[in-house]
Amino acid sequence: MYELILIDADNTLFDYNQAEKFALQAALKSFDFTGNVDDIRADYKVINKAIWADLENGKITKEKLRTERFHRLFEKNGLTIPVELFSERYLGYLSEGSFLLKDAETVCGYLSGKYNFVLVTNGIKEVQHSRLDRSTIKGYFNEIVVSDEIGYSKPDPAFFDYTMNLVHHTDKTTTLIIGDSLTSDMRGGINYGIDTCWFNSESIENDSGLKPTYQIETLSDLYTIL
């Protein structure tokens, strides 16, 4: 049935939460921060989620995102750390965070052998490529599409147009996107007219009004679909 499989990177194949925690702790330590890192991280997760949503909705640029999230974080916590320098260090550490989720490598090997297999990610190009280069899964993809490189982010239809044109695939009925985000992966796929598979590893309630074609809780569940 399917010929082209699009798959998200962060919190679908890569454990972004672990990478984020590692990067934030290391960057704060480099500025001699002695407070409660867990409290700072809790605030950061809320701020970062909101600002990436702004990016998806075209309310902020990727360049502004890099520093604005830390402006908000430091203002909330009364910190005087230089934002631009902190952002550089944070992204440097984040680039090292190539932690894969359970079954990610075996599932990539399986899908790569059966389909035109494309990684599609909203992310900062230096970070995403560095993490991929450090991983064991890079060689499984026919193409890698990073929003920061093409100027469009999921769920923008232009992101999907670019990807389909890149792989010379025109049949939406034989295309499936797999991802953890309802707002970018699922909304983008549904609006574009392709089938969707929501990776809901935390069993959260879907109150978005969106209806993915499939829902899975582990990557190995893909074997029953594909």
Side-chain angles (χ1 to χ4, degrees):
M1 179 180 179
Y2 296 112
E3 297 175 4
L4 173 63
I5 303 297
L6 312 179
I7 193 164
D8 177 52
D10 291 323
N11 287 332
T12 301
L13 296 175
F14 287 96
D15 188 338
Y16 186 78
N17 293 329
Q18 186 177 355
E20 178 187 83
K21 181 179 181 179
F22 165 76
L24 198 58
Q25 287 178 329
L28 285 169
K29 184 178 180 180
S30 75
F31 284 94
D32 299 320
F33 176 76
T34 58
N36 190 314
V37 175
D38 289 337
D39 288 345
I40 296 293
R41 182 168 177 253
D43 287 339
Y44 178 72
K45 287 179 73 68
V46 173
I47 291 169
N48 197 43
K49 182 178 180 179
I51 209 163
W52 276 96
D54 285 345
L55 179 74
E56 292 170 8
N57 293 317
K59 296 180 180 179
I60 193 172
T61 65
K62 185 66 65 65
E63 284 302 315
K64 182 69 172 176
L65 176 148
R66 291 179 183 230
T67 54
E68 178 61 24
R69 52 189 174 177
F70 297 118
H71 272 299
R72 298 181 190 181
L73 178 66
F74 296 162
E75 182 177 358
K76 178 176 175 59
N77 288 274
L79 300 177
T80 57
I81 298 172
V83 170
E84 291 195 4
L85 182 56
F86 185 88
S87 177
E88 289 178 8
R89 290 191 188 175
Y90 172 81
L91 291 177
Y93 288 121
L94 189 62
S95 297
E96 299 175 11
S98 185
F99 308 108
L100 292 176
L101 291 173
K102 182 182 178 182
D103 297 323
E105 184 174 1
T106 54
V107 164
C108 282
Y110 171 78
L111 295 177
S112 178
K114 295 184 65 177
Y115 305 97
N116 193 348
F117 190 42
V118 179
L119 186 73
V120 290
T121 173
N122 283 355
I124 296 171
K125 58 186 178 182
E126 300 94 334
V127 173
Q128 300 303 70
H129 283 296
S130 175
R131 293 166 67 215
L132 274 166
D133 288 343
R134 294 168 182 268
S135 78
T136 56
I137 63 172
K138 181 179 180 180
Y140 290 120
F141 305 108
N142 296 98
E143 296 287 351
I144 296 167
V145 181
V146 183
S147 62
D148 192 29
E149 291 182 317
I150 69 171
Y152 307 107
S153 300
K154 297 173 290 181
D156 190 335
F159 181 99
F160 293 89
D161 279 337
Y162 178 95
T163 302
M164 299 284 274
N165 289 333
L166 180 66
V167 297
H168 308 292
H169 188 82
T170 59
D171 188 356
K172 293 182 180 181
T173 67
T174 61
T175 302
L176 174 72
I177 182 170
I178 304 163
D180 70 296
S181 173
L182 286 168
T183 58
S184 62
D185 302 313
M186 298 302 100
R187 176 173 287 118
I190 290 169
N191 290 347
Y192 195 67
I194 61 176
D195 282 358
T196 53
C197 179
W198 181 33
F199 180 34
N200 183 16
S201 62
E202 298 181 356
S203 300
I204 65 174
E205 183 180 354
N206 178 4
D207 58 3
S208 67
L210 299 170
K211 296 182 179 180
T213 313
Y214 311 100
Q215 178 175 325
I216 59 173
E217 294 187 353
T218 69
L219 286 175
S220 60
D221 290 339
L222 286 171
Y223 297 130
T224 65
I225 300 170
L226 301 168

